Amino acid sequence: MAASRNSGLLALGGIALAALLAVVGHLGVDGLDPWSLTVSDYAVSDRGGAIDSAMVVLAVATAVLLPALRRLRRARAVEVLLAAWIGGLLLAAVVPTNEPGLPMDAAAYVHRYASVAAFLALPVGGWLLADRLPAGTARWVRRFAVVSLLLAAAMVWSAYPGDRVLLGLVERLLILAEVALLGTVAATLTTVTPARGASAGGPLR
């Protein structure tokens, strides 16, 4: 349907813009180590700047997909998980973490757990959605979901017993995998149309 294709195109544009803003945000901050410091550490050094804007744009790009996904079976569970991803991104953008090297305060904990909720919700939602997508797309969505969950586990290990070793690198790989998952879903909506009966829960073709 035309509406689904338009949603996919708008989402892809938003994802591309968010990626560009994230790169600009990294280039605009000097003196930080991307291997060990997280994206949030960069964002707090430039409050309201490009990285915060990237999170908001990515949340909006995801929200654009929701009406198109609502027609699919299991859409309610997927919608809830994508809403958690969207809400986590927006909350993380609004509530900053602490400056690198400072003790965590209440806002930093809110930021951390909003980010954790977002990082976990998207791959689980993608996995649930995959069985309603064309076979080739479903395989990629599941791969990105599994890689995302493995990287999330690696990030937890690094943040606690791993003494933050390569924490920044692992987080950026995690973000890359999750954005790739989201982009794959958006791209699919630009090239396929619902089969007959899709409104009653049939797969996309």
Side-chain angles (χ1 to χ4, degrees), residues 26 32-42 119 147-148 150-152 154-159 163-178:
H26 278 73
L32 297 182
D33 178 15
W35 300 102
S36 59
L37 296 178
T38 66
V39 173
S40 296
D41 292 326
Y42 276 71
F119 283 147
V147 169
S148 296
L150 290 174
L151 287 168
M155 190 173 175
V156 170
W157 178 87
S158 177
D163 197 28
R164 294 178 65 93
V165 61
L166 297 179
L167 180 63
L169 175 61
V170 174
E171 186 198 45
R172 284 163 179 81
L173 291 174
L174 170 59
I175 293 170
L176 183 62
E178 299 210 347

Side-chain angles (χ1 to χ4, degrees), residues 12-186:
L12 284 175
I15 292 167
L17 177 58
L20 176 62
L21 287 169
V23 171
V24 170
H26 278 73
L27 295 176
V29 178
D30 296 324
L32 297 182
D33 178 15
W35 300 102
S36 59
L37 296 178
T38 66
V39 173
S40 296
D41 292 326
Y42 276 71
V44 77
S45 299
D46 183 27
R47 285 297 300 148
I51 292 178
D52 287 333
S53 299
M55 289 190 282
V56 173
V57 170
L58 191 57
V60 172
T62 306
V64 167
L65 296 175
L66 292 180
L69 299 177
R70 191 167 290 136
R71 291 186 290 274
L72 303 180
R73 181 173 66 83
R74 303 178 80 172
R76 187 170 299 277
V78 173
E79 283 185 71
V80 170
L81 289 163
L82 290 182
W85 159 258
I86 292 167
L89 285 176
L90 293 176
L91 192 56
V94 172
V95 181
T97 188
N98 54 286
E99 293 279 352
L102 296 180
M104 291 187 66
D105 56 15
Y109 279 108
V110 170
H111 179 95
R112 170 181 286 182
Y113 291 114
S115 300
V116 169
F119 283 147
L120 294 178
L122 182 61
V124 175
W127 183 273
L128 293 178
L129 178 63
D131 64 356
R132 310 314 302 161
L133 300 174
T137 302
R139 282 193 295 270
W140 279 106
V141 168
R142 289 193 178 103
R143 287 168 184 165
F144 288 133
V146 170
V147 169
S148 296
L149 292 172
L150 290 174
L151 287 168
M155 190 173 175
V156 170
W157 178 87
S158 177
Y160 294 101
D163 197 28
R164 294 178 65 93
V165 61
L166 297 179
L167 180 63
L169 175 61
V170 174
E171 186 198 45
R172 284 163 179 81
L173 291 174
L174 170 59
I175 293 170
L176 183 62
E178 299 210 347
V179 170
L181 187 159
L182 193 62
T184 300
V185 173

